[in-house]
Every structure is written in C-alpha cells, then in structure tokens.
Amino acid sequence: MIQKRPFFITFLAPAVLTAVILAAAIFEVLQYSVREFVPGSLNVGGLTLENFARINRPIYWWVLADTFFISLLTAVFSLLASYPVAYALVRAKKDWVRSALVSLSITPLFTGEIVRTFSWMLTLGTDGFINSMLRKLGLIDMPIQLMYTRFGVVVALVQFSMPVMIILLATAIAHVDRDCERAAANLGASPSAVFWRVTLPLTLPGILSGIVVVFAWTMSAFSTPQLIGGGKILMISNLAYLQGFSVLNLPFAATLSLIALVCALGSLALMKTITGRIERRLAVN
Amino acid sequence: MTETAIIHPSKEAGSAVDIVRVRKDFGSAVGVADVSLTIRNGEFVTLLGPSGCGKSTLLGMIAGFVTPTAGKIVVDGADITDLEPYRRDIGMVFQSYALFPHMNVHDNIAFGLRMRKLPAAQVEKEVARAIAMMKLEGFEARRVRQLSGGQQQRVALARAIVIRPKVLLLDEPLSALDKNLRAQMQVELSELHRKTGLTTIFVTHDQGEALSLSDRIVVMNKGAVQQVAAPIELYRQPANGFVASFIGEINALPPGRCELKDGTASLVLPGVGPLVFPTAPATGFAPGRQVRAFLRPEHVRPVLAGEAGPNVVTGKVEAHIYQGSHTITRVVVEGIGLVETRVTGAEIVASAPVGASLGLAFDLSEAVLLDTAD
Ligand SMILES: Nc1ncnc2c1ncn2[C@@H]1O[C@H](COP(=O)(O)OP(=O)(O)OP(=O)(O)O)[C@@H](O)[C@H]1O
Ligand SMILES: [Mg+2]
C-alpha cells in the first residue's frame, strides 16, 4: 500500500506529528494529575490519588454542572438565533441580501476571541451600550447588572458560536429538496405546515450536529467566562486556570483539566448516541 | 368495489381546465408564450415538446409554483391564477417524485389527507384504498429510500390521487425508469386514468409515450403551442413542419407546385418531375399552390432499379439502419435529397448494398401538404 502511494507518508507526517505532540501533552497532564501538590513550589511530589478525591466537593460539582448548563443553554439559544439567519441566507431571492448575510454572519469568525469579548464588555457594562440606551429611552433609572452574570456570559457565548451554527444549518437547509416542499404545498400544506413538517425535519441532521459542535465548543470556553463572568461565573476551564495560575496548584489544575476533557468527550458521545438514534428514526440520510 | 371508489366527483362533460392566453417571461427570455388551451373533464392530455419548450413552466403555473406574467387559469369554473398552491386541490407527480424521505410509505400517502384535517379513521380508509389501487400492499412501513424506482413512482401516484384532486399533473414521471419498467408503468398509468377518470395533464418529450397514452396531445415548441390534436390526427395531419418532423420519422420533400390536369392531381417538383396523387388530397391541395410535401418512410417503397412506373425515382443507398422488426434505408435522390424508406425485415441490406442504386416508389395517398412558409 505504501509502495503504491509513495507520498502517503509525506502527506501524513504533519498529522502524525501533531497527534504525537498532543498525546504527549495529554500524558503530561495525566501524570501531573496523580502527583502530590507541594505548597509554595512548582515542583510536584510523589504519586497520589488525593487530587481526584478532592474533586468530590459540592463547589467543584457545582462548577461542573454550571459548565454543562451554560453549554447547553448556549447551544439551544445559538440554534434559535441562527436558524432564521441561515434560512434567510440560503433562501433570499436577491443576491446582495445573501452576500450581505454571509459576510455579516461569517466575519465574527475572523476577529479574535479577546476582541469579541472586549466588545461584549463594552456592550454589557454598567455604562455600556445597552444600559445607556435603556437609560436614554427612560426605561430604567438604575443600570441593570449584565456583566458578571450567567446571562451576560451566555449572550456572548451564543454570539461567538453563531457563525459555526449558521454554516452548519445553512448547509443543511441548502440540501433540502425544493420539490419536496413544493410537493407538500401541492398536497395542501400551508407555508408554516411546509416548514414544520418538511423543511425542519429534513434539516434535523444539521440541527443536531450544530448543537453537538456548539455544545462541545462551549464546554471548553475560557476567555469569555473569564472576562465577562469575572470570577463570579466559573466554568471548568476558569477553575483549572484559577488552581493552576493563582493557587499554583498544578496537580489539581491538571486533574480538573482531565475531568473537563472526560466530561466533554463523555457528553459528546452521549449526544452522538442520542442524535444517531433520532436520525435513524427519521432516516433522512 | 374499492377500485371504483376513487372516482372523480364531477365526471360530467364540460371543461376542467381553461388556460387563457397564459404567458411567462423570465427576464427577456420567454418561458411560455401566450398559450390558450381547454382541457375537458376526465381527459388525458399530454404536453409534448423538446427540452426547454416550456412544458414544466406551464405545469408549474397550473400547480401554482410559477406566477404567470399574463393570462388566466380557470379550474372547475374558478379562476385560480392568484390562488396559493396549497389551496388549489391539484395533484402533482414530480419528475424526481419528491417523496418525503423522513416518512414511510403510509405517511407519505396520508400527508395530503392529514393536511385536510380528515378524521384518522377516514385517513386510514383512504390510504388503504390508494395502497390497494397502486398495488403497494406490504410496503406501508417501508422508508421511501428502500423502494425501487417503480415502487417510488407508485407511491408518488398514490400520494397525488388519494386527495381526489381536481386535476392530476404528471411531469415526466416515467423518464427516470428503465425501458421495460417504463412500458409497464405506461399501461398502469392508462389503467389508473380509466379507473379514476381524473383529468390528467401529462408532460413528456417522448413522442411514443404521448401517442400511446393520450386522448389529445399538445405539441409545444419555444414556449408556444404548435398543434393540439388526437394522436392519430397528429400523426396523419401535422399542422406544420415542426410537428411533422417531431412526431415520428418523416421525409420532407423540396417545395413543389400543385397541378390538376385531366382530373389527375399531381405535385411538380422542379428537376424531378410530377408525382401523382392516387386521389386528390383532401387538405392543402389547390392547383397552382406552392407546397411542401411530407411523407412517412412507410409510404416510400423500394423497387428494383430500372423498374419504371409512376412516382418512381432513383437514388443511391447511403446507409441501412437495422432495427430488428424493420430496416430504415437512407437513399440520396438527386433533386430531392435524403429520403428514408422503411421496410420489414432485413433483406434490403443484402439486396441493395450501400452505394448501389435503388428505385423508390412514393405513395402520396398519405402525404401531408403544408405551406412552404411553415
Ligand atoms: N426560473 C427560471 N429562470 C429563468 N429561466 C427559466 C426558469 N425556468 C425555466 N426557464 C426557461 O424557460 C424555458 C422553459 O423551461 P421549462 O423548464 O418549462 O422547459 P421544459 O419544457 O420543461 O423542458 P424539459 O423537457 O427539459 O424539462 C427554458 O428555456 C428555461 O431555460
Ligand atoms: Mg421540464
């Protein structure tokens, strides 16, 4: 096989290299997680399982649960916000409407996470865009607390995840056979019935993969909850950061990272099973 | 009993569909150009024409997916030109079938009934009838992706007829099937039409299909109707050169002049001489008139070279096209051009080899005379 494809190894080399380095890094995290913490020192002590035992405290379970909750909320709201945009993007009759929507929904991908988070801080702050607008309109007297809230974090995360969600949904919507929709209308389905009974079910694979991707992506979110949550909203990666770089307890940070990784992979596997079952029931593909 | 159950409710005489000067422009291009057409109740009408002649566009305007630029469409006495597609009660079978992939056979067929909010018991009854009619028993729970092309075709038909539409539209429903299945489905289609009595508009670019299935055929070209006629009339009396050459094979003779001498009607072709009509033609013939004659290959008979007689010309064999039951022989005749003759069997391949000279006797009794301008 290798003789038949002489470039095979050359082409594979970068992927293999990346995989090896990643595996080494994960192994390093793994071995840190079973070391003793030596207070006041970056060096670690002997082998121990104490770090894992320490996890079993309400505060850590709470952060883990919150991470799940925020990821799920983000995935759901990202879906709700993205579907209409993706639909308009695919179905708009005018070319310029379509290109405008494409650029509007894709450009956020090309601004860094920090820049986008900072813009959200400007928007959500007590003197931020939203509060000053509401105050000028006379709707509120006192600024509402948006920064350092779960709401603010989710709003920012939703916006970050929308480009990916829109791309996945638009692909699914573009693949819907227009004749199927015409057939439904021909059989007496009103425009809304056509959407709920034909278009939406046919785009379900895209919806499911969008939710899975955004969920997994948000599970590992760091700078958004860090900056907008400001320590009041902790996601698992913020907790790991806190332990590793404030308390300098690298072994425990490693344990948390490992648990975050396992949880992300576990929930991905779970979602894959669920979505696989739904897809098989609908047999869209 | 179950078979007669799905009968069109109003099968009395009268027109089911009236298309009045309907037109569709796509920008500066013409999709359908001022088509007027009346389709009677229970009639099986075929739209026939080359690719891009506007058949699907016309069908789309009847179904409501395409908005006409001008004109009016009346179904069962009601003007539906501006009615939304889902209020039209017009059944349609799409070229791609457009079955719902996320539903099984039963739910595909039940869809239209459920949209009409019929009680569940009645939905089941009607679906069962349609399934029996289309011989789909046992496939109810199947995914449509797990069906063969012919079965999908039947599901699409069942789904369209179960709603008892006022009109049934079929857009090239057989073009995706292989030849044998296509022949079988043709039989089933005409049987279905006989059983249901549904007014049917069928689209095809296959003239054989059109000739065998239709009560009337509408021949279209470049968005315009060329002729509306029953199959036999269309074959025997094409209205113009386009129809003549689109339906079956035909030889177009060069322009000539009609002459009537001593009670004998003839066509004088310059450089060839007079060709005599056995009896004076009923249509298109007037002494002194310039006409073009069209002659089917079966009305050109090969004769031994040198055999003289009326209407015999001699040419050189250019090619034989062997087609099993018969052979088409192409002969180049000076002053006329390429002439095709059709004879049964294959003997002519040996008796008149390519390059040999061959006499052809023209039987003008079935010749079609058209204006030189057509
Ligand atoms: N949406 C459209 N925009 C622009 N032009 C169109 C559109 N739909 C159809 N046309 C044009 O109108 C003409 C008629 O098209 P139509 O699809 O009705 O042809 P048809 O007879 O069904 O052909 P076929 O046998 O290939 O299906 C064609 O020239 C086509 O290019
Ligand atoms: Mg077409």
Side-chain angles (χ1 to χ4, degrees), chain A residues 68-98:
Chain A
F68 270 103
F69 183 59
I70 289 176
S71 304
L72 200 62
L73 275 188
T74 305
V76 170
F77 282 107
S78 175
L79 170 69
L80 296 179
S82 303
Y83 204 101
V85 182
Y87 191 86
L89 191 153
V90 175
R91 296 290 173 84
K93 293 220 170 63
K94 297 246 185 305
D95 278 346
W96 69 265
V97 177
R98 252 175 299 151

Coordinates of all heavy atoms in Angstrom, one line a residue, chain A residues 68-98:
Chain A
F68 N -21.9 22.5 32.2 CA -22.9 21.8 31.4 C -24.1 22.7 31.0 O -24.5 22.8 29.8 CB -23.5 20.6 32.1 CG -22.7 19.3 31.9 CD1 -21.8 18.9 32.9 CD2 -22.8 18.6 30.7 CE1 -21.1 17.7 32.7 CE2 -22.1 17.5 30.6 CZ -21.2 17.0 31.5
F69 N -24.6 23.3 32.0 CA -25.8 24.1 31.9 C -25.6 25.3 30.9 O -26.3 25.5 30.0 CB -26.2 24.7 33.3 CG -27.5 25.5 33.3 CD1 -28.6 24.9 32.9 CD2 -27.5 26.8 33.7 CE1 -29.8 25.6 32.8 CE2 -28.6 27.5 33.7 CZ -29.8 27.0 33.3
I70 N -24.4 26.0 31.1 CA -24.1 27.1 30.2 C -23.9 26.6 28.8 O -24.4 27.2 27.8 CB -22.9 27.9 30.7 CG1 -23.3 28.6 32.0 CG2 -22.4 28.8 29.7 CD1 -22.1 29.3 32.7
S71 N -23.2 25.5 28.6 CA -23.0 25.0 27.3 C -24.3 24.6 26.6 O -24.5 24.9 25.4 CB -22.1 23.7 27.4 OG -20.9 24.0 28.0
L72 N -25.2 24.0 27.4 CA -26.5 23.6 26.8 C -27.3 24.8 26.4 O -27.9 24.9 25.3 CB -27.2 22.7 27.8 CG -28.3 21.8 27.2 CD1 -27.7 20.8 26.3 CD2 -29.1 21.1 28.4
L73 N -27.4 25.8 27.3 CA -28.1 27.0 27.0 C -27.6 27.6 25.8 O -28.3 28.1 24.9 CB -28.0 28.0 28.2 CG -29.0 27.9 29.4 CD1 -28.8 29.0 30.3 CD2 -30.4 27.8 28.9
T74 N -26.2 27.7 25.7 CA -25.6 28.4 24.6 C -26.0 27.7 23.3 O -26.3 28.3 22.3 CB -24.1 28.4 24.7 OG1 -23.8 29.0 26.0 CG2 -23.4 29.1 23.6
A75 N -25.9 26.3 23.3 CA -26.2 25.5 22.1 C -27.7 25.8 21.7 O -27.9 26.0 20.5 CB -26.0 24.1 22.4
V76 N -28.6 25.8 22.6 CA -30.0 25.9 22.3 C -30.3 27.3 21.8 O -30.9 27.5 20.7 CB -30.9 25.6 23.5 CG1 -32.3 26.0 23.2 CG2 -30.8 24.1 23.9
F77 N -29.8 28.4 22.5 CA -30.1 29.7 22.0 C -29.3 30.0 20.7 O -29.9 30.8 19.9 CB -29.7 30.7 23.1 CG -30.8 30.8 24.2 CD1 -30.6 30.2 25.4 CD2 -32.0 31.3 23.9 CE1 -31.6 30.3 26.4 CE2 -33.0 31.3 24.8 CZ -32.8 30.8 26.1
S78 N -28.2 29.5 20.6 CA -27.4 29.7 19.3 C -28.2 29.1 18.2 O -28.3 29.7 17.1 CB -26.1 29.0 19.4 OG -25.4 29.1 18.2
L79 N -28.8 27.9 18.4 CA -29.7 27.3 17.4 C -30.9 28.2 17.0 O -31.1 28.5 15.9 CB -30.2 26.0 17.8 CG -31.3 25.3 17.0 CD1 -30.7 24.9 15.6 CD2 -31.9 24.1 17.7
L80 N -31.6 28.7 18.1 CA -32.7 29.5 17.8 C -32.4 30.8 17.1 O -33.1 31.3 16.2 CB -33.4 29.8 19.2 CG -34.0 28.6 19.9 CD1 -34.6 29.1 21.2 CD2 -35.0 27.9 19.0
A81 N -31.2 31.4 17.5 CA -30.9 32.7 16.8 C -30.3 32.4 15.4 O -30.5 33.3 14.5 CB -29.8 33.4 17.7
S82 N -29.7 31.3 15.2 CA -29.0 31.1 13.9 C -30.0 30.5 12.8 O -29.8 30.8 11.6 CB -27.9 30.1 14.1 OG -27.0 30.5 15.0
Y83 N -31.0 29.8 13.2 CA -31.8 29.2 12.2 C -32.5 30.2 11.2 O -32.3 30.0 10.0 CB -32.9 28.3 12.8 CG -33.4 27.2 11.8 CD1 -32.9 25.9 11.9 CD2 -34.3 27.5 10.8 CE1 -33.3 24.9 11.0 CE2 -34.7 26.5 9.9 CZ -34.2 25.2 10.0 OH -34.6 24.3 9.1
P84 N -33.1 31.2 11.7 CA -33.7 32.2 10.8 C -32.6 32.9 9.9 O -32.9 33.1 8.7 CB -34.3 33.3 11.8 CG -34.4 32.6 13.1 CD -33.4 31.6 13.2
V85 N -31.4 33.1 10.5 CA -30.4 33.8 9.7 C -30.0 32.8 8.6 O -29.9 33.2 7.4 CB -29.2 34.1 10.5 CG1 -28.1 34.8 9.7 CG2 -29.6 35.0 11.7
A86 N -29.7 31.5 8.9 CA -29.3 30.5 7.9 C -30.4 30.4 6.9 O -30.1 30.3 5.7 CB -29.0 29.2 8.6
Y87 N -31.6 30.4 7.3 CA -32.7 30.2 6.4 C -32.8 31.3 5.4 O -32.8 31.1 4.1 CB -34.0 30.1 7.1 CG -35.2 29.7 6.3 CD1 -35.5 28.3 6.1 CD2 -36.1 30.6 5.7 CE1 -36.6 27.9 5.3 CE2 -37.1 30.2 4.9 CZ -37.4 28.8 4.7 OH -38.4 28.4 4.0
A88 N -32.7 32.6 5.9 CA -32.7 33.7 5.0 C -31.5 33.7 4.1 O -31.6 34.0 2.9 CB -32.7 35.0 5.8
L89 N -30.3 33.3 4.7 CA -29.1 33.3 3.9 C -29.2 32.4 2.7 O -28.7 32.7 1.6 CB -28.0 32.8 4.8 CG -26.5 32.9 4.4 CD1 -25.7 33.0 5.7 CD2 -26.1 31.7 3.6
V90 N -29.9 31.2 2.9 CA -30.0 30.3 1.8 C -31.1 30.7 0.8 O -31.0 30.5 -0.4 CB -30.2 28.8 2.3 CG1 -30.5 27.9 1.2 CG2 -29.0 28.4 3.1
R91 N -32.2 31.1 1.4 CA -33.4 31.3 0.6 C -33.7 32.7 0.0 O -34.6 32.9 -0.8 CB -34.6 30.9 1.4 CG -34.6 29.4 1.8 CD -34.8 28.5 0.5 NE -34.7 27.1 0.8 CZ -35.6 26.3 1.3 NH1 -36.8 26.8 1.6 NH2 -35.4 25.0 1.5
A92 N -32.9 33.7 0.5 CA -33.1 35.1 0.0 C -33.1 35.1 -1.5 O -32.2 34.5 -2.2 CB -32.1 36.0 0.6
K93 N -34.0 35.8 -2.1 CA -34.1 35.8 -3.6 C -33.0 36.7 -4.2 O -32.5 36.4 -5.2 CB -35.5 36.3 -4.0 CG -36.6 35.3 -3.6 CD -37.6 35.2 -4.8 CE -38.6 34.1 -4.5 NZ -39.4 34.2 -3.3
K94 N -32.8 37.9 -3.5 CA -31.8 38.8 -4.0 C -30.4 38.4 -3.7 O -30.1 38.0 -2.5 CB -32.1 40.2 -3.4 CG -33.4 40.8 -3.8 CD -33.2 42.0 -4.6 CE -34.6 42.7 -4.9 NZ -35.6 41.8 -5.5
D95 N -29.5 38.5 -4.7 CA -28.1 38.1 -4.5 C -27.4 38.9 -3.4 O -26.7 38.4 -2.5 CB -27.3 38.2 -5.8 CG -27.5 37.0 -6.7 OD1 -28.1 36.0 -6.2 OD2 -27.2 37.1 -7.9
W96 N -27.7 40.2 -3.4 CA -27.0 41.1 -2.4 C -27.4 40.8 -1.0 O -26.6 40.9 -0.1 CB -27.1 42.6 -2.8 CG -28.5 43.1 -2.6 CD1 -29.5 43.2 -3.6 CD2 -29.1 43.7 -1.4 NE1 -30.6 43.8 -3.1 CE2 -30.4 44.1 -1.8 CE3 -28.6 43.8 -0.1 CZ2 -31.3 44.6 -0.8 CZ3 -29.5 44.4 0.8 CH2 -30.8 44.8 0.5
V97 N -28.7 40.4 -0.8 CA -29.1 40.1 0.5 C -28.3 38.9 1.0 O -27.8 38.8 2.2 CB -30.6 39.7 0.6 CG1 -31.1 39.3 2.0 CG2 -31.4 40.9 0.1
R98 N -28.2 37.9 0.1 CA -27.4 36.7 0.5 C -26.0 37.0 0.9 O -25.5 36.6 1.9 CB -27.5 35.6 -0.6 CG -28.4 34.5 -0.2 CD -28.6 33.5 -1.3 NE -29.2 34.2 -2.5 CZ -29.0 33.9 -3.7 NH1 -28.2 32.9 -4.0 NH2 -29.6 34.5 -4.7

